[in-house]
Each structure stands twice: as C-alpha cells, then as structure tokens.
Amino acid sequence: MDSTEAYNGQKLWDTSKPSELVVEVAKLKGSGTALDLGAGKGRDSLYLARQGFKVTAVEIDENHLVSLNNKNLELGNKIKIINSDINYFKPNEKFDIIICGMVLHFLSSENVISMIKKMKLWTKPGGYNVITGYSDKNEVGKRPYLFKHTELSSYYDDWRIISYQEKLTTWFIKPGETDPRRNHAVYLLAQK
Ligand SMILES: C[S@@+](CC[C@H](N)C(=O)[O-])C[C@H]1O[C@@H](n2cnc3c(N)ncnc32)[C@H](O)[C@@H]1O
C-alpha cells in the first residue's frame, strides 16, 4: 500500500508533506528564522526553507541525516543541519519559529520540561512554538514520555495559545509492518 492510499475511508499519512501546524505558522509569520528540533528526514525544515525561512535543523539519527542532507543539497544547501542530541544543543541566536514535532515523547520527563523551557527562552518576542507529541491515551511503557490531558497547553499559560488539540493522528504504516495504525497525540501552536 502506498503512503497516500485510502484506509478505512481516510487517507494514510503522507510523511513527505509538512505538518498542518507548520503550514499554518509559516502563513502567520511570513518570513524569518526557524529551528526544527528532531527534524527527522526534514519535511518541515524543507517546507519552511522553500517558503524562504532561514532554517536550522537538529537531528541525531544518521539515516535521517543522510536523507535530509541529500534533499538539502537539491535545495542549494539552504538549511543549516546540525548533528546533535537536542538535549545538549545550544543555539547562539533566537528564532521566530521553533518546532519540535513528534519528538518529545522520546525524552525523559526531566528533559521534556527543560526542552520546553529552552524553546520558550530561545523564541523571539512575537515568535511561535509548534509542538506535537504522544499523549497518555496511548499504551504506557512504549515511549519514555506521554503528555497528560491539558499538560502541554499548561506550559504555555503565559503565551497566546493559537491552537491546542488532543486527537488521533492520521493512519500510518510503521516500517516493517503491514497494518496501518494511529496514535493519540497533542498538537500545540502558541505565540510568545
Ligand atoms: C517521529 S520523528 C519526527 C521527525 C520530524 N520532526 C517530523 O515531524 O517529521 C522523531 C525524530 O526525532 C529524532 N530524535 C529523537 N530523539 C532525539 C534527540 N534526543 N536528539 C535529536 N533528535 C532526536 C529522531 O531521530 C527522529 O528523527
């Protein structure tokens, strides 16, 4: 089954497309700098770079870095790619947009809290954060961290929350599996 075929009346997740909140934040901000923490193969970094943003992408997985580097070459090396554990990454600038998409559930609870604090600190006044991650409606124990009901939005009480949702992800097929699945997730877009 290809990644865009319909399943159960719904389209499967096309992981080459940017996330909806990133498309929305690009429209809201228009131009500027962006930091993508745990960029993966770079769907969001590539989209923002194509929209004219100056993007820094941080990723730790070698295979994902190869894929991102190849796509960045085609784009004329517009994205600054950093091979690092996001827990130890320290930028020397602030950003208009900071994204952390489907990454935080891989971190320990201490690191999740400190990562969100750092994201807020590294954002310019009027800038935006986009965070998505798994919620505790998923099976416990499969991921180190799962967000509780309203937990993620509570960390942004002092920002303008543009959108916050707790919902199921689109159906997707994990590499090596045949049956589509979907997970419970939280989705946040907030402005400083
Ligand atoms: C589910 S993927 C999401 C990728 C991308 N943000 C997206 O939305 O398409 C999670 C990514 O986070 C990366 N990641 C997980 N823990 C990390 C860490 N401590 N430092 C850097 N990257 C990390 C993984 O290697 C993987 O590429």
Side-chain angles (χ1 to χ4, degrees):
M1 198 184 281
D2 114 2
S3 66
T4 54
E5 257 180 79
Y7 175 76
N8 234 4
Q10 297 208 38
K11 281 243 170 192
L12 282 180
W13 192 339
D14 181 351
T15 50
S16 64
K17 288 204 172 140
S19 60
E20 283 175 25
L21 287 181
V22 168
V23 174
E24 188 178 340
V25 79
K27 277 190 199 137
L28 288 170
K29 191 70 195 81
S31 62
T33 55
L35 173 65
D36 189 0
L37 295 164
K41 293 178 183 169
R43 64 188 178 127
D44 291 330
S45 287
L46 290 157
Y47 175 77
L48 289 173
R50 287 188 188 113
Q51 300 302 307
F53 286 86
K54 194 175 158 225
V55 180
T56 302
V58 186
E59 176 53 54
I60 199 170
D61 181 89
E62 289 298 333
N63 292 328
H64 289 176
L65 282 164
V66 168
S67 170
L68 177 53
N69 267 313
N70 287 339
K71 290 181 204 144
N72 193 29
L73 276 176
E74 288 168 21
L75 202 67
N77 258 325
K78 286 191 178 148
I79 302 170
K80 180 176 173 188
I81 300 172
I82 299 176
N83 178 355
S84 170
D85 183 331
I86 58 170
N87 292 307
Y88 302 110
F89 170 72
K90 281 194 189 113
N92 45 23
E93 61 176 311
K94 290 196 173 182
F95 299 88
D96 293 303
I97 298 172
I98 303 186
I99 304 161
C100 194
M102 294 296 174
V103 181
L104 291 177
H105 45 261
F106 292 113
L107 308 189
S108 69
S109 78
E110 277 170 21
N111 285 338
V112 169
I113 310 296
S114 104
M115 196 72 247
I116 290 173
K117 280 188 185 153
K118 288 188 272 188
M119 288 177 67
K120 292 177 73 178
L121 188 69
W122 298 338
T123 306
K124 290 181 188 173
Y128 298 86
N129 282 181
V130 172
I131 299 182
T132 57
Y134 286 178
S135 81
D136 64 0
K137 282 191 178 170
N138 295 295
E139 199 180 324
V140 176
K142 283 201 159 181
R143 296 278 180 252
Y145 197 80
L146 298 172
F147 285 102
K148 295 176 200 71
H149 176 53
T150 70
E151 178 190 350
L152 179 58
S153 59
S154 75
Y155 297 139
Y156 283 84
D157 274 353
D158 53 345
W159 285 32
R160 184 165 80 97
I161 295 178
I162 295 166
S163 82
Y164 175 72
Q165 282 188 290
E166 299 177 2
K167 62 180 184 183
L168 282 161
T169 65
T170 310
W171 291 100
F172 66 97
I173 300 178
K174 278 196 95 172
E177 294 184 3
T178 48
D179 291 333
R181 62 164 81 188
R182 54 187 184 162
N183 290 309
H184 293 273
V186 294
Y187 298 80
L188 173 109
L189 166 59
Q191 183 180 27
K192 189 168 183 174

